[in-house]
Amino acid sequence: MRDTNPSPSAAVTDPARPAPDPADPAEITELRRVAVHLAQTAAAHVRARRPEVFGAGEDAQDAVRAKSSPTDPVTVVDTETEQLIRRLLAELRPGEAVLGEEGGGSLGDDRQIVWVVDPIDGTVNFMYGIPAYAVSVAAMRGGRSLAGAVVDVAAARTYSAGLGAGATRTGPDGIANPLRCNEVDSLAMTLLATGFGYGAARRARQGRLIGELLPHVRDIRRIGSAALDLCMVAAGRADAHYEHGLNTWDWAAGALIAAEAGARLVLPPAGTTGKTGELVVAAAPGIATELLELFDRLGVSEAIAES
Ligand code: IPD
């Protein structure tokens, strides 16, 4: 198992690639400011559009289409929100690359800043009106997240972090509080958040693994947004999150936020597509070793590739 972040202040790194030049603190502050601005502006758009597209009496049939499977949706709001973020980036950071869930892109080379965007993480919740969906924006270089912001749209809460600069949550009142993982030190008391992919074969295996894990932990949560799960680990509202087959845009901001709040991370190389089914983990430091050992014993550490 690749454990990419043994110490709380360590970076979200990809050990398969050489470390890029260290970013200077002023650059990180500016990248974080831009990530927060983009995610908050996009979240305001998502918030305004939901009642227009999915409100009572609206016929939302034309607003949704299927992606990788009939249960993997993209809505018009996902598409237009990513376009909004791309337009703003072109004005604020002209020439910088973007990797987005809906519009694609690449991570570029080790010297380039790449903006990694998930316009709505938790699209199924968004469609159903379950208040757990988020906009996620991260600035990466050389496979490493330098800054990131996740906005919980319904709660109007902004989670953000800069590499080496800590993580905060800012409420709708504008007050920012530093984030710290729970001090839990026993697996039996661990609240474990997870998620499932969209393909039936992967889900079947994920379901069997949940059954194996459940007797070892306090309980399991499946909230429906990996980005928010990672922020919940940072905020002490869950003790760990794991999932197979996430894409880089699902974790690029949230994993940095969790790491800066003290979590230990296991990450695939940035840019790995969800198809290979590799594992993402963020765990509170007091239970991380025990949890990763259990994952090894039960086979959770193995990738679940799409068949
Ligand atoms: C999904 C959510 C979900 C996770 C899925 C992701 P999306 O993102 O993060 O919690 O279990 O694997 O694909 O599709 O809503 O952007």
Side-chain angles (χ1 to χ4, degrees):
M1 168 171 292
R2 182 188 296 120
D3 185 352
T4 62
N5 189 8
S7 74
S9 59
V12 180
T13 57
D14 170 359
R17 308 176 80 172
D21 294 339
D24 78 84
E27 182 187 21
I28 286 176
T29 302
E30 176 58 12
L31 293 171
R32 182 176 181 176
R33 191 191 66 75
V34 173
V36 167
H37 170 69
L38 293 171
Q40 288 182 338
T41 306
H45 178 78
V46 173
R47 201 175 296 121
R49 288 288 281 144
R50 193 178 182 283
E52 291 168 9
V53 178
F54 293 101
E58 298 303 325
D59 177 4
Q61 252 181 1
D62 293 339
V64 184
R65 64 185 169 76
K67 290 200 292 185
S68 65
S69 82
T71 54
D72 177 8
V74 56
T75 73
V76 288
V77 187
D78 295 71
T79 310
E80 66 195 28
T81 303
E82 183 167 320
Q83 284 165 354
L84 168 65
I85 294 172
R86 285 175 184 266
R87 271 199 311 277
L88 290 171
L89 271 170
E91 285 164 23
L92 295 170
R93 310 277 304 184
E96 289 182 346
V98 183
L99 168 64
E101 174 167 21
E102 313 309 340
S106 83
L107 284 175
D109 68 34
D110 279 353
R111 292 177 311 265
Q112 287 176 301
I113 295 289
V114 180
W115 293 90
V116 181
V117 172
D118 190 341
I120 303 180
D121 185 64
T123 302
V124 174
N125 285 343
F126 173 69
M127 287 166 53
Y128 279 76
I130 297 169
Y133 46 91
V135 178
S136 174
V137 178
M140 291 187 115
R141 183 164 59 208
R144 166 189 297 220
S145 295
L146 300 179
V150 173
V151 176
D152 177 335
V153 176
R157 281 199 193 103
T158 301
Y159 299 83
S160 77
L163 180 60
T168 55
R169 179 180 58 205
T170 306
D173 53 7
I175 296 172
N177 288 299
L179 296 175
R180 215 61 216 148
C181 291
N182 275 338
E183 290 181 8
V184 59
D185 59 5
S186 136
L187 210 47
M189 297 307 285
T190 292
L191 187 60
L192 185 57
T194 190
F196 308 122
Y198 290 108
R202 178 180 288 165
R203 292 169 78 86
R205 172 106 182 105
Q206 287 174 318
R208 286 194 291 275
L209 290 174
I210 288 274
E212 300 270 311
L213 285 166
L214 202 44
H216 296 275
V217 296
R218 176 195 281 260
D219 210 343
I220 300 276
R221 292 290 180 272
R222 196 297 190 243
I223 285 164
S225 162
L228 285 181
D229 277 6
L230 291 162
C231 293
M232 285 173 62
V233 173
R237 291 183 154 192
D239 298 312
H241 164 82
Y242 81 96
E243 184 168 344
H244 296 88
L246 290 178
N247 286 291
T248 308
W249 47 78
D250 296 312
W251 58 257
L256 177 66
I257 292 163
E260 288 293 327
R264 271 177 63 184
L265 302 179
V266 175
L267 296 175
T272 308
T273 74
K275 289 191 175 122
T276 55
E278 288 184 58
L279 182 66
V280 167
V281 183
I287 47 99
T289 301
E290 218 186 333
L291 183 68
L292 297 180
E293 282 169 6
L294 179 69
F295 282 179
D296 282 345
R297 270 204 314 283
L298 298 180
V300 179
S301 308
E302 290 159 30
I304 309 177
E306 262 173 17
S307 47

